[in-house]
Structure formats: C-alpha cells, structure tokens
C-alpha cells in the first residue's frame, strides 16, 4: 500500500497525485589521491510514477578536499537529461548543475556524526531565449548519523535533510525535507554497495507530494599506492 499512488479530488474534479514511488540506480568510481583529495565519477538513472517512467539520468563529477581535520570542502558538476512528460511541449531537456559543499564530521565511540551544508545551482541548457526563467537554486542542510558494527561489513546510517529553495531569485523558504535509512556493505577490493530507503515530503503547494525512494548504488574505489 505504501508504494501505491494516493490521489485526491480537487474542486475542479481533477485528480491530483500526492504520493509516488521512485527508484534511483547508480554506479560510480571513487579515487583517493591522498589523505586530502578525493575524486568521484558516477552515472545515475531515476524512475518515477511508481518506477514505471523515466524521470532523469545524469553524469556527475565530484572533488573533495580536507581543509583541516574532519572539515571538508567539495565541488560537484552534474549534466542532467530530464524527461519532461507534462504540459503541451514534452521531451528530453538538458540541465547543468553545480554544487558547493562544506561538511564536518566527528566520532562518538562507534557512532559518526556528519553535518553538511550544500549550495546548488541548476539551469536549463540550449534554450531559444535566455529571457525564459529557468534558474533554480537551493541551500540544503543534512545531518547524518553512521554506526560502525563491530566485526560486521554492513554499516547502517540515518540522515535528515532540509531544502531551502530559490526560483529565479525569489526565496521560497523551506520547501522539502528528506529522511533516509540506509546501509553500506564493504566489498573490500571490489568497492562498496549502498542501499537506502527514503521519504521526501513537499512543504508547499495545495497538494504537497510525498515521494518514497529506494536507491541502490555501487562504487568502485581506487587508492593511490
């Protein structure tokens, strides 16, 4: 029942969907240059409408630098292909997004607590007129708690994230929040496999949408010897 779309009837008689189930599938590679620098490349595919339709797919490059102990700065570049299946004009659209991260983590015995502040900026590409509003920005704050189980390869974690968005220069305030329960499995020389289940809720609009998300991610890790 959780994964079935829930609909409500508006005054106009139109049925508005307020619940969905998405799947995110990702494969990537991570390169640890040294104790300070990490680089990553990933390809991700996302499905929506009960995972029956393409939502988007993207390629992302990342770099992370440890400025001082437990404090890291990051940069991510993402080229996105979005399936626009609503409105009179439909089809694939291309977007470019960059993100800037600042994160701090510390350990409490077998727990690890991480705080991350992210700024992201997304713009549609190849528009006929750049007068068309197409700029989307957001500030995101995430709190993540990891637990290392002794003599066990699977490490669970909990995370919560708030989204404060800006559309074409207008501050929309807090528009979404996301809650995640996940785990990572250490494959040793073969990298790591991660899965999570998440719930993302909209906080604005007449019919706020709730999205259930399942993600599977495989990452192959290279270390500079």
């Amino acid at each position: 029942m959780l994964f079935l779309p829930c609909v409500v009837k508006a005054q106009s008689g139109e049925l508005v969907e307020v619940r969905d189930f998405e799947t995110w599938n990702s494969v990537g590679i991570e390169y640890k240059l040294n104790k300070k620098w990490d680089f990553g490349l990933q390809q991700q595919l996302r499905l929506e409408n009960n995972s029956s339709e393409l939502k988007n797919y993207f390629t992302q490059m990342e770099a992370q630098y440890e400025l001082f102990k437990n404090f890291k700065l990051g940069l991510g570049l993402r080229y996105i292909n979005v399936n626009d299946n609503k409105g009179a004009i439909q089809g694939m659209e291309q977007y470019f997004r960059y993100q800037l991260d600042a994160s701090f983590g510390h350990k409490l015995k077998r727990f690890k607590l991480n705080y991350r502040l992210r700024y992201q900026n997304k713009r549609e590409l190849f528009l006929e007129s750049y007068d068309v509003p197409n700029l989307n920005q957001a500030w995101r704050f995430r709190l993540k708690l990891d637990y290392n189980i002794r003599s066990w390869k699977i490490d669970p974690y909990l995370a919560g994230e708030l989204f404060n968005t800006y559309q074409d220069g207008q501050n929309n305030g807090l528009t979404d929040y996301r809650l995640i329960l996940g785990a990572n499995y250490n494959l040793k020389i073969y990298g790591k496999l991660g899965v999570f289940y998440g719930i993302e809720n909209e906080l604005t609009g007449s019919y706020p949408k709730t999205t259930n998300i399942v993600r599977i991610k495989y990452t192959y890790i290279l270390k500079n010897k």
Side-chain angles (χ1 to χ4, degrees):
M1 290 294 294
L2 181 67
F3 300 140
L4 293 178
C6 176
V7 295
V8 296
K9 194 171 184 179
Q11 293 181 353
S12 63
E14 179 186 1
L15 291 177
V16 181
E17 184 180 279
V18 295
R19 187 179 293 274
D20 195 10
F21 171 60
E22 296 185 3
T23 51
W24 300 357
N25 303 284
S26 174
V27 61
I29 186 169
E30 183 179 326
Y31 177 58
K32 295 182 178 295
L33 178 63
N34 49 43
K35 292 183 178 180
K36 292 288 186 179
W37 283 100
D38 289 338
F39 299 91
L41 176 67
Q42 68 164 302
Q43 184 72 34
Q44 188 168 139
L45 173 71
R46 296 183 178 181
L47 303 176
E48 62 178 355
N49 292 334
N50 281 332
S51 301
S52 64
E53 296 182 12
L54 174 67
K55 181 180 181 180
N56 62 54
Y57 61 91
F58 61 81
T59 302
Q60 179 164 303
M61 296 183 294
E62 299 173 303
Q64 192 175 70
Y65 177 74
E66 186 175 37
L67 189 61
F68 51 84
K69 186 177 180 179
N70 298 326
F71 181 79
K72 297 180 179 180
L73 299 176
L75 168 67
L77 305 176
R78 181 181 294 188
Y79 179 73
I80 316 168
N81 287 271
V82 176
N83 180 26
D84 182 3
N85 53 12
K86 299 179 178 63
I89 302 176
Q90 301 184 17
M92 298 301 296
E93 299 173 349
Q94 287 75 46
Y95 289 80
F96 174 76
R97 192 186 94 174
Y98 70 86
Q99 62 196 40
L100 303 172
D101 295 342
S103 62
F104 176 76
H106 58 91
K107 292 184 178 180
L108 299 169
K109 294 185 178 180
R110 305 196 71 82
F111 291 93
K112 183 178 180 181
L113 197 59
N114 180 267
Y115 316 86
R116 187 188 72 187
L117 180 64
R118 168 174 290 178
Y119 168 76
Q120 67 182 41
N121 184 305
K122 184 174 75 172
R123 178 183 290 272
E124 186 175 355
L125 303 174
F126 312 119
L127 291 175
E128 294 183 2
S129 172
Y130 281 95
D131 295 331
V132 179
N134 68 97
L135 183 63
N136 186 289
Q137 304 172 78
W139 286 96
R140 300 164 53 175
F141 176 74
R142 188 192 71 181
L143 179 63
K144 183 182 179 186
L145 179 66
D146 294 84
Y147 182 68
N148 179 256
I149 301 176
R150 192 185 304 273
S151 302
W152 189 251
K153 294 181 180 180
I154 301 176
D155 294 328
Y157 64 88
L158 288 170
E161 190 168 17
L162 296 172
F163 294 72
N164 189 101
T165 65
Y166 295 77
Q167 184 69 42
D168 304 311
Q170 299 296 318
N171 185 2
N172 300 321
L174 291 177
T175 55
D176 305 84
Y177 72 87
R178 182 184 295 168
L179 301 174
I180 290 173
L181 171 63
N184 291 310
Y185 180 71
N186 186 357
L187 299 172
K188 294 186 177 180
I189 63 173
Y190 301 106
K192 62 182 178 180
L193 181 67
V195 296
F196 79 52
Y197 168 72
I199 298 176
E200 185 172 313
N201 281 325
E202 294 180 351
L203 301 175
T204 58
S206 302
Y207 302 100
K209 184 179 180 181
T210 298
T211 304
N212 299 277
I213 305 166
V214 170
R215 188 189 75 176
I216 300 175
K217 180 180 181 180
Y218 170 74
T219 306
Y220 183 74
I221 299 175
L222 291 171
K223 294 183 180 180
N224 186 4
K225 297 181 180 181

